[in-house]
Amino acid sequence: MGLPEEFRKLRELRETRLRRTVALCARAHPFYKKRFEEEKISLAGIRTLDDLEKLPLTEKSDFMADPRAFSLDPELAGDLTFEERTLWNVAYTTGTTSGRPSPFFNTTHDQYHIMMQARTCNETEGLRPDDLIANLYPLSSMPTGAFLCPVRSAEILGIPIVSALTGSPHPDYPVRRNLGEAVDAVAAAGATVIWGVPSFVRRFLRLARERGARMDRARMVLTTGEAVSAALREEYLDHLRHFGAKDPQVRSRYAATEMQGGFVQCTGEAIPHNVVPELYYLEVVDPETGRRLPEGEEGSVALTHLHRRGTVLLRYLIGDLIGLRLEACPHCGRLGERIVSSPRRTGDLVKVKGMLINPDLVYELLSSDRAIREFQLVIRKSEASDPDSMDELIVRLEASEAERGRLSSEVPGLVRAAVMVTPEVEFAPEGEIHDPMKNLKARRLVDLRKK
């Protein structure tokens, strides 16, 4: 039996774009042009999505070593339009081997499609014409995909935005706000959508509530950058209800700079899914062999750009383990890859005292306790100078003096029940574990044994 019509049309569009992209890479992409020649890859053999398996995987280290080699050279590409060959902007992603961030180049063609992607994503998530977005991503020293994403969304939807402009202060450029000032700015603007990294959104809403900020229009939290546990989702909903939301909503994205967008939820109960499958193709693969795994099976996710003209990646390993299935969403009916096993970073499982533990289980446990302001897991040797000494698991917490006795008593047993390892509990001064003015994401796991 053949594919349903909508599946057939999507596959046809994807494969048409794939052939164009591969042809451009063979002619004008410094990295892939060289790779195709070295591997003796024939363009005639890359016609379908299934043919992608003939291409080697691209590692992050390949991109990080020379990011500019991953951008099409318009002089070699041939018949490109003005929009396809004109550089619009540069976003930045993971660090390079030199320690500097990696530039990700967008042409005008890319920018326009990113904006259309933003419109589709936000309409799917339920943003409305009367919304006002609060951009809580920090103002860093470089344009990041995270900071640019809400801005593009506001532009294409034609709605206002207020950027909190938090971040580490710089004496020469006094343009950033502290957290209290950010709360005041967002409240004064009357924001309806609070958008940022989950841990920072949590801190922002807690402070806004403590200060009695008037945020009676706030109705939605939209996050990306970290996982959102069920407990954290409930906390967001509680804060929104406190501010007066009658129908509070939470949406969480699975995203990467390389997507310039991400998988989104159409309802709070929906599985995040790819609503722009015509722009990129995602495979789940065995990272050792490059073999594509059956739908639904967990493996490493590889991204292939189908319609870009700036930075272009083919079978690029994002660095996450995931399970995907191409199907229509049962809630909104949109066709695309859906996440069927929660994304986790490669190497997330760590061994402590001979036990292989999943730190995510501890993170969810700790984030469910509203008294814990910040948390961090530290793994170290009981004797720093002796690599053969026993492992120790430390749970570092930020909490009020009034709650420390209870947490000291309860947390070790709860963690042991979750991962079969009993930790020690240490308390840190406020802001020591994570200063959102300095770092976008909290550093949840520190393994001192590697030093």
Side-chain angles (χ1 to χ4, degrees), residues 225-299:
E226 297 171 346
V228 174
S229 67
L232 183 53
R233 173 184 165 82
E234 286 303 314
E235 181 175 340
Y236 290 152
L237 292 171
D238 179 63
H239 288 312
L240 292 173
R241 293 188 192 101
H242 169 81
F243 292 125
K246 302 301 182 186
D247 182 27
Q249 299 292 320
V250 176
R251 302 286 186 270
S252 181
R253 289 188 178 190
Y254 169 67
T257 297
E258 295 84 1
M259 295 181 193
Q260 294 288 283
F263 284 33
V264 300
Q265 293 179 292
C266 56
T267 73
E269 297 74 37
I271 296 172
H273 58 293
N274 177 15
V275 294
V276 287
E278 71 278 7
L279 294 184
Y280 39 81
Y281 178 67
L282 294 118
E283 311 170 77
V284 176
V285 302
D286 179 333
E288 300 299 323
T289 65
R291 181 179 62 86
R292 187 178 302 166
L293 301 179
E295 283 200 347
E297 189 172 322
E298 186 182 75

Side-chain angles (χ1 to χ4, degrees), residues 143-448:
T144 63
F147 184 87
L148 293 172
C149 193
V151 177
R152 292 165 176 156
S153 296
E155 289 172 343
I156 192 63
L157 294 176
I159 61 177
I161 183 170
V162 54
S163 291
L165 299 183
T166 60
S168 183
H170 193 294
D172 294 334
Y173 310 109
V175 296
R176 294 174 176 84
R177 299 184 179 99
N178 61 38
L179 187 55
E181 292 168 338
V183 168
D184 294 341
V186 170
T192 62
V193 178
I194 312 299
W195 192 341
V197 174
S199 55
F200 185 73
V201 170
R202 182 192 201 198
R203 181 170 291 195
F204 174 91
L205 291 174
R206 284 184 171 189
L207 182 62
R209 189 164 177 172
E210 291 170 5
R211 290 163 59 108
R214 184 174 179 179
M215 295 178 58
D216 52 304
R217 295 191 65 220
R219 68 174 194 88
M220 178 184 285
V221 165
L222 204 165
T223 69
T224 187
E226 297 171 346
V228 174
S229 67
L232 183 53
R233 173 184 165 82
E234 286 303 314
E235 181 175 340
Y236 290 152
L237 292 171
D238 179 63
H239 288 312
L240 292 173
R241 293 188 192 101
H242 169 81
F243 292 125
K246 302 301 182 186
D247 182 27
Q249 299 292 320
V250 176
R251 302 286 186 270
S252 181
R253 289 188 178 190
Y254 169 67
T257 297
E258 295 84 1
M259 295 181 193
Q260 294 288 283
F263 284 33
V264 300
Q265 293 179 292
C266 56
T267 73
E269 297 74 37
I271 296 172
H273 58 293
N274 177 15
V275 294
V276 287
E278 71 278 7
L279 294 184
Y280 39 81
Y281 178 67
L282 294 118
E283 311 170 77
V284 176
V285 302
D286 179 333
E288 300 299 323
T289 65
R291 181 179 62 86
R292 187 178 302 166
L293 301 179
E295 283 200 347
E297 189 172 322
E298 186 182 75
S300 296
V301 62
L303 167 76
T304 293
H305 290 135
L306 299 175
H307 201 48
R308 284 188 55 83
R309 301 294 181 260
T311 296
V312 179
L313 301 164
L314 303 177
R315 304 201 83 200
Y316 173 78
L317 292 172
I318 291 176
D320 289 344
L321 295 175
I322 200 171
L324 298 174
R325 190 182 301 280
L326 177 65
E327 59 189 8
C329 173
H331 299 279
C332 67
R334 288 179 171 87
L335 177 62
E337 288 90 1
R338 301 177 72 233
I339 294 174
V340 295
S341 68
S342 298
R344 57 190 179 89
R345 299 300 295 177
T346 305
D348 269 357
L349 299 181
V350 293
K351 187 170 285 189
V352 182
K353 296 182 179 180
M355 298 290 295
L356 198 61
I357 72 169
N358 182 356
D360 286 342
L361 298 177
V362 184
Y363 302 160
E364 183 163 356
L365 174 70
L366 298 176
S367 67
S368 67
D369 194 318
R370 297 278 288 272
I372 298 174
R373 296 168 182 163
E374 283 294 349
F375 59 87
Q376 184 180 70
L377 301 189
V378 177
I379 306 171
R380 66 190 182 197
K381 290 294 184 179
S382 58
E383 298 179 35
S385 60
D386 182 2
D388 295 320
S389 62
M390 288 289 293
D391 293 338
E392 292 182 332
L393 177 63
I394 313 299
V395 174
R396 301 185 71 229
L397 304 175
E398 291 182 18
S400 68
E401 290 286 348
E403 292 285 354
R404 291 186 176 188
R406 177 183 67 82
L407 293 171
S408 294
S409 175
E410 293 180 0
V411 166
L414 293 172
V415 172
R416 176 171 177 77
V419 297
M420 301 300 291
V421 175
T422 304
E424 296 180 27
V425 175
E426 295 180 357
F427 293 96
E430 184 172 353
E432 182 175 289
I433 292 176
H434 177 223
D435 185 345
M437 299 297 109
K438 295 180 179 179
N439 297 296
L440 180 65
K441 300 179 185 178
R443 189 181 180 194
R444 296 296 182 206
L445 178 65
V446 177
D447 192 344
L448 298 177

